[in-house]
Amino acid sequence: MLKPLLDFEKPIAELDTLIEELKRSAANDERRKAAEHDNVDIESEISRVEERRDKVMREVFANLTPWNRVQMARHPMRPYTLDYINAICTNFVELHGDRIGADDPAIVGGFCQLNGQTIMAIGHQKGRDLKERQHRNFGSARPSGFRKALRLMQLAARFRKPIVTFIDTPAAEANLMAEEEGISRAIAYNIQQMFHLEVPIVVAVIGEGGSGGALGIAVGDRVIMMEHSIYSVIPPESCAAILSEFGRDRGRASDAAAALKLTAQHALQFHIADSIVSEPLGGAHRDPIAAARVLGNAIAAELKELASVPTPVLLDARYKRYRSIGSWEEIEREALIVPVPADHVEGPMP
Amino acid sequence: MRAKSRWFTKPSGRNGSAVTNMPEGLWVKCPRCAEIHFAKDIERNLRICTKCDYHYRLHAYERIDLTVDEGSFVKINDDVMSVDPLGFPGYPEKLARAISSTGLTDAVVCGEALIDGRRCVISAADFDFLGGSMGSAVGERLVRAMELSVELRIPFVLFTANGGGARMFEGLYSLMQMAKTSAGLAKMERAAVPYIVVLTDPTMAGVYASYASLGDIILAEPGALIGFAGRRVGNQDMGMKLPDDFQSSEFQFRCGMVDQIVHRRELRSTLATLLMLLAEEGSDVKTSA
C-alpha cells in the first residue's frame, strides 16, 4: 500500500525507501555477497543513511510552519482515539448510544483501565479507509454523539471514575439533520454540564481541535496537547474564505493558519493548554507505540496529581480556569475623557 | 455611571442610550416584502414592517429601551474593552471602526434594570458591532453580568443578535469564551437563578452553541435567523433539500429548541410575566434599583 505523504515528508520518505532497500539487500545472501565483493559494508551504509534521514527530519521538523502543523494534525496516518486507547489502556469496554435514539460512531467511549485504575475514555473517532471514514463521518460528531459523551461522563462521575477525553475533529456536523436535532444546544449543554462533573477531567488534544465540535467534550482540569496538534476557532480554509485580508481565498489557508495562532505551542503560550506532549521525531504516525506511551504517561501523571484534590476545590479551580481565559483590558474611563467629535454627537453612524 | 460614558456616546435615548440610526433617511424598504415605508411609521411600530410583520434588527440600546422601565437602566461592565491578542491582520482597524460607527465599546451592552418593576440583570448584543461577535471582552462582560445575577439573586435576561458567533480575530481566545460563558451559566444553574434568553436576528455558530442555547427559558422573535453553521454549509450536504424556513425561529421552534416565539409587541409583557412567575417566594417584589 502506498503511504500518504505530505510534501515536506517526501525527502524523508525517499531516504526511508533507500534504507528499506539496503535492509532487503542485507537480508539477501546473494546481494550481500556481491556487496562484500565490492568492499561495501551494508550495515554501516544503513546507519549512514539513517543518520542522514534523521538529520533531514530534524531540519524539516524544526522549521514547520503553522500550516504544516495543520497538515500534521490532519495526517491520514496519524493515530486516532481508539489507537491511543488500545495502546494506553487495558480492558476497554466500549459503550454505545445516547439513550434517546441514536449512536454516533464519530464519538467513541467506554470504561477501561489506565495503570490499573478505571477511567472513562471518550474521544472523537476518525476513520482510516474511505469506508470507515464515512462511517465515522470524518470525526464530525452529531448531536447524538455529544449526548452519548455526556451520558458517559455523568455515568463516570456517578461511579467516581476520572474522565479522559481525546480531541480530534475537524468540526461538529452542520447539516440539516444536525440542526434539527439541536447540534448547538447539544454542544452548549455538554460544555455547561462538564463544569458540574465531580471527578477529574483530563483533555488530550491528539489531532484537530476543531472549534465547538472539539470543545463539546473538552472542558477539563488539565488540557494536554500533542506536539503536532492544533486547536482553532475556525478551520483556516474557512477563515481565509471569509476575510478580505486573505482575499476571500480558501487557497490562502496557510496565511490564515499563521494569523489564527492555532498550534499547540500557541495554546500553551495562551495558557489554554497546560502542557505539550513531545511526539517521536517525524510525528506520532512514525512511531505510534512510542507516541502513545508518552501520552499515556502524561495523562497518568495528571490524573495522579488531580486524584488528591478535594472535589469542591477541583470544581472551583475548573471554574476559575475557564473564567479567567481571555485577553481584554479595562479602561480607566476618567483618564480617557476626550472631547466628543462632532460626528459622534448624534450617536452612531451619521 | 451614565455620565462617564460620554466618551463614546451622547446619552439621548430614554435610558441614556445613543439614538437609533436605522432605518436611515425618510423612507425605508422592507428587506422582506420590499414595501416602501415612511421611516417614522416603522419607528412608531417598534421597527416592525406594517405590511409583512418583518422585525427589523434593533441596536442594543433600542432593545433595552423597548424592554426596561423608563430610566431604570444602569450600565455595567462597559469599560471592559477588546484588545488584539493575536496581532490579527486588520482587527485593530475593524475594532476602531466598529467603536466609532456604533458608539458602543463592544458588541454587548449589560446593565441592571427593572422590567415592570422587577429587578434583573439585562444584556443586549448589537449586530452592527462586528456582527455581534463574541471576543474576550464580550465573554468577560457576560460572565460579570451572570456573577452579578447570582450575587443579587435576580434573573438574567439576555438578548442575542450575535450573527458573528465567536470572533475569529481573537482565535482560540474567542473559542474559549464559549466555555467561559457556559461556566458562568453553570454557576447560575447551581445557584438556581433564572436565565432567560431571547433569540433575535441573527444568532449563529459559537454564540448559539454556547450561552444562547442555555436559557432556562428560551424565547425567539419571529423570523430571526438562528442556527449553527451558515446555510451554504448545509446546502453542500449531499444534495439534502433544505426547508424554506431553515434556521429560522420557526424552524428552531418546530425542532424543540425554543419555548415560545414572541412578537416584539408582546415581548416586554411576556418577560414581565415570566419574571413574576419565577420570582422567589418572599422576595422583595417591585423594588426600585
Side-chain angles (χ1 to χ4, degrees), chain A residues 196 261 319 329 333 338, chain B residues 7 79 81 86 147 189 247:
Chain A
H196 296 314
K261 298 204 161 54
Y319 177 78
E329 61 186 3
R333 191 72 60 149
V338 291
Chain B
W7 184 49
D79 300 345
M81 306 279 290
L86 307 188
E147 287 176 339
E189 198 182 27
Q247 292 183 333

Side-chain angles (χ1 to χ4, degrees), chain A residues 207-238:
Chain A
E208 280 185 279
S211 62
L215 201 51
I217 58 168
V219 173
D221 303 303
R222 295 282 191 280
V223 176
I224 298 170
M225 287 185 75
M226 298 288 283
E227 184 183 352
H228 301 301
S229 68
I230 59 165
Y231 208 159
S232 184
V233 65
I234 185 170
E237 291 89 340
S238 308

Side-chain angles (χ1 to χ4, degrees), chain A residues 45-335:
Chain A
E45 187 70 4
I46 289 174
S47 55
R48 198 181 59 82
V49 180
E50 276 178 343
E51 256 170 52
R52 206 166 100 220
R53 178 202 56 196
D54 290 350
K55 184 164 170 282
V56 170
M57 204 146 55
R58 269 192 299 275
E59 275 167 16
V60 167
F61 279 84
N63 294 299
L64 290 188
T65 64
W67 176 245
N68 293 153
R69 302 267 185 193
V70 175
Q71 292 175 298
M72 285 296 287
R74 296 174 179 170
H75 200 295
M77 298 299 290
R78 202 168 167 79
Y80 297 146
T81 293
L82 285 175
D83 298 320
Y84 283 116
I85 291 177
N86 289 327
I88 297 169
C89 305
T90 51
N91 294 318
F92 176 59
V93 179
E94 191 176 348
L95 304 173
H96 291 271
D98 66 355
R99 299 295 188 271
I100 295 170
D103 179 47
D104 183 4
I107 287 186
V108 296
F111 284 118
C112 54
Q113 283 176 313
L114 176 65
N115 294 349
Q117 184 198 11
T118 300
I119 63 164
M120 171 61 76
I122 298 169
H124 304 95
Q125 182 63 36
K126 293 179 176 176
R128 196 65 68 190
D129 58 28
L130 185 64
K131 207 177 143 202
E132 203 204 344
R133 252 178 252 168
Q134 283 174 341
H135 174 62
R136 301 289 185 185
N137 198 29
F138 309 91
S140 288
R142 305 173 174 98
S144 55
F146 291 104
R147 288 174 185 139
K148 169 169 72 177
L150 183 60
R151 174 176 84 84
L152 298 185
M153 290 190 280
Q154 289 172 338
L155 191 63
R158 182 143 39 93
F159 297 117
R160 312 217 62 80
K161 307 300 179 198
I163 298 163
V164 176
T165 67
F166 297 89
I167 307 305
D168 191 15
T169 181
E173 178 57 66
N175 63 13
L176 171 61
M177 204 187 289
E179 194 76 62
E180 284 174 336
E181 293 170 354
I183 186 71
S184 301
R185 162 74 183 187
I187 291 171
Y189 193 61
N190 272 27
I191 297 172
Q192 183 189 33
Q193 294 309 309
M194 288 183 86
F195 285 99
H196 296 314
L197 298 171
E198 296 185 335
V199 289
I201 308 171
V202 173
V203 175
V205 184
I206 55 171
E208 280 185 279
S211 62
L215 201 51
I217 58 168
V219 173
D221 303 303
R222 295 282 191 280
V223 176
I224 298 170
M225 287 185 75
M226 298 288 283
E227 184 183 352
H228 301 301
S229 68
I230 59 165
Y231 208 159
S232 184
V233 65
I234 185 170
E237 291 89 340
S238 308
C239 178
I242 292 170
L243 292 183
S244 59
E245 276 74 15
F246 307 113
R248 297 205 167 85
D249 175 6
R250 289 179 78 84
R252 288 186 57 192
S254 59
D255 295 337
L260 284 166
K261 298 204 161 54
L262 42 59
T263 66
Q265 293 69 28
H266 284 115
L268 184 70
Q269 199 185 310
F270 301 154
H271 302 291
I272 288 166
D274 299 288
S275 61
I276 294 180
V277 169
S278 299
E279 295 184 24
L281 186 58
H285 62 285
R286 284 191 70 92
D287 191 348
I289 299 301
R293 195 183 321 117
V294 181
L295 178 62
N297 289 341
I299 293 170
E302 298 290 9
L303 285 177
K304 196 175 169 199
E305 219 174 274
L306 292 168
S308 59
V309 181
T311 305
V313 179
L314 185 76
L315 291 192
D316 192 49
R318 192 183 302 157
Y319 177 78
K320 285 189 178 127
R321 177 198 159 87
Y322 287 90
R323 169 72 183 82
S324 67
I325 295 180
S327 180
W328 44 271
E329 61 186 3
E330 198 147 13
I331 304 291
E332 277 295 329
R333 191 72 60 149
E334 304 300 338

Side-chain angles (χ1 to χ4, degrees), chain B residues 136-158:
Chain B
S136 299
V138 168
E140 179 66 22
R141 286 177 182 202
L142 291 178
V143 174
R144 285 189 190 188
M146 293 164 194
E147 287 176 339
L148 182 67
S149 244
V150 170
E151 189 193 319
L152 300 176
R153 295 204 64 82
I154 56 176
F156 182 29
V157 177
L158 177 137

